[in-house]
Amino acid sequence: YERELLLAKNRAEELAVQLQEANRQMKEILSIAVHDLKNPLHALRMAHQVLVTENTNSVSTEYRLSLLKRNIESIDTMSNLITRLLQVNALEHQSIQVNFQRCDVGELMTALLGAYQLQAAKKNLSLHISLGETGDKTGGELFSTKDCVWNTDEEIILQIADNLLSNAVKYSPPGKNVYVRLKSTNETVRVEVQDEGPGISQDDMKKLFGKFARLSARPTGGEHSTGLGLSIVKKMVEAMNGKVWCESESGKGATFIVELPKV
C-alpha cells in the first residue's frame, strides 16, 4: 500500500512539472503572438487609414503603391508566424510521418535557390550551390549528379533546407555570399548551408535549437524572425534519424550542417 502511495505521489509530481512546463510554453506562445502580430497589424491599419481617409488627389500613385506593398509585407509576416506556430504545435503533438523515396535533392535545392534569388538580390547577396564534385555554381541553373539522388522525404528535406536558407539570407549583410553544399559518403548524406554573417556567439550556441530562441544576432535587412525555424529543423532531422549542428565563430559567419544516414 505504501509503495502504491509513493508511486502515485511521484506520478502526481511528474504531472505537475509537465503542467507547469505546458503553461510556460503557452505563455511564451501568447507573448510571441501578441508581440509579433501587434506591429504588423498596426502597420496594416495605419496604411489602410491613409488609403481610406486621404484625398485621392493628395496621395500620389507611387505612395499608394508603397503602402500596398507594405501591407503585403505585414500580411506575409503574420502568415509566416501563424504557420510556424501551427507547425511547432503539430510537431509537438504528432509523430512526423516520413515517406522515403528516390529524390533528386540536387535539382530540389537548385530550384529552392532560384526561389530565393529575388530576396537575395534586394541585399546584393550571391547564392551558390555545390553538388558533390561539380564545384560551386550560381543558383538558378538546374543540374545535378548521381550522388545527389537520395532516398529521403522530399517534403521534409525541402522544409529543412528552406528554414536554413531563409536564416542565411536574413542574417547576411549586403554584398556577401551564401553557399549550399550537398555531400554524399558511403554511409551518410549532408546538406550544408553557410553564410558570411556575424556568426554565432558561444552563449547563443547553447540555446540555438531551442524553441522560441531569441539570439543576439538580428536580421540585417529588417526581416522578421520568429525564433522557431531551427527548433523545427531539429525535430524534422531527428525524425529521419539524423543530426544537425552549427559550426561558427563570432564575426566569421556560420555553417549549419544536416547529416542523415543513407537509407
Side-chain angles (χ1 to χ4, degrees):
Y1 182 73
E2 289 182 0
R3 183 174 179 275
E4 291 177 356
L5 281 176
L6 181 62
L7 290 174
K9 179 175 178 291
N10 291 338
R11 179 57 180 158
E13 289 175 351
E14 289 176 5
L15 290 173
V17 171
Q18 292 174 9
L19 181 60
Q20 187 176 14
E21 177 62 17
N23 285 335
R24 186 194 67 78
Q25 291 191 12
M26 180 60 67
K27 288 179 181 178
E28 191 77 41
I29 289 173
L30 289 173
S31 175
I32 287 177
V34 169
H35 179 270
D36 290 2
L37 289 176
K38 184 178 179 180
N39 288 341
L41 275 172
H42 180 69
L44 197 60
R45 186 185 185 284
M46 292 297 290
H48 272 81
Q49 187 172 4
V50 171
L51 291 170
V52 169
T53 61
E54 289 292 329
N55 187 294
T56 304
N57 296 325
S58 66
V59 180
S60 68
T61 301
E62 183 179 358
Y63 184 55
R64 284 179 176 275
L65 288 174
S66 71
L67 289 176
L68 290 172
K69 182 180 177 182
R70 266 187 279 171
N71 286 352
I72 293 172
E73 291 172 352
S74 296
I75 291 167
D76 287 343
T77 295
M78 291 186 289
S79 176
N80 180 56
L81 173 61
I82 292 168
T83 299
R84 289 294 171 86
L85 289 173
L86 290 173
Q87 205 170 17
V88 166
N89 183 66
L91 292 174
E92 287 287 338
H93 297 93
Q94 302 171 20
S95 60
I96 303 173
Q97 299 300 315
V98 181
N99 179 27
F100 288 105
Q101 56 185 336
R102 299 283 285 176
C103 172
D104 190 331
V105 181
E107 186 172 311
L108 198 66
M109 294 301 105
T110 307
L112 180 62
L113 258 70
Y116 272 91
Q117 285 296 332
L118 181 60
Q119 188 175 337
K122 292 178 180 178
K123 299 172 73 171
N124 194 27
L125 297 176
S126 297
L127 305 182
H128 308 270
I129 187 166
S130 175
L131 307 179
E133 299 178 355
T134 60
D136 285 350
K137 304 211 175 181
T138 300
E141 175 190 357
L142 281 176
F143 65 101
S144 188
T145 72
K146 61 182 178 62
D147 288 336
C148 295
V149 178
W150 303 347
N151 278 325
T152 188
D153 187 302
E154 180 174 329
E155 183 178 344
I156 292 178
I157 200 75
L158 183 59
Q159 287 188 58
I160 289 170
D162 184 39
N163 274 293
L164 295 180
L165 185 56
S166 173
N167 279 352
V169 171
K170 282 180 185 178
Y171 290 92
S172 292
K176 298 293 186 177
N177 297 282
V178 174
Y179 301 92
V180 176
R181 302 185 186 93
L182 302 185
K183 297 181 179 180
S184 177
T185 69
N186 290 332
E187 297 180 353
T188 64
V189 289
R190 276 191 179 190
V191 179
E192 298 181 1
V193 179
Q194 178 186 358
D195 64 56
E196 295 178 342
I200 298 169
S201 68
Q202 289 301 311
D203 286 340
D204 283 345
M205 277 286 192
K206 297 172 185 176
K207 55 185 178 182
L208 193 58
F209 294 97
K211 194 163 53 173
F212 309 118
R214 297 292 188 176
L215 308 181
S216 56
R218 306 306 304 159
T220 56
E223 299 97 332
H224 183 261
S225 177
T226 62
L228 296 170
L230 291 179
S231 67
I232 292 172
V233 166
K234 187 173 187 292
K235 287 186 179 295
M236 289 184 169
V237 171
E238 289 174 346
M240 293 199 289
N241 299 315
K243 55 184 180 179
V244 57
W245 70 95
C246 176
E247 297 175 356
S248 177
E249 290 183 46
S250 185
K252 296 185 178 180
T255 302
F256 285 85
I257 301 166
V258 172
E259 186 175 79
L260 304 170
K262 275 193 171 176
V263 180

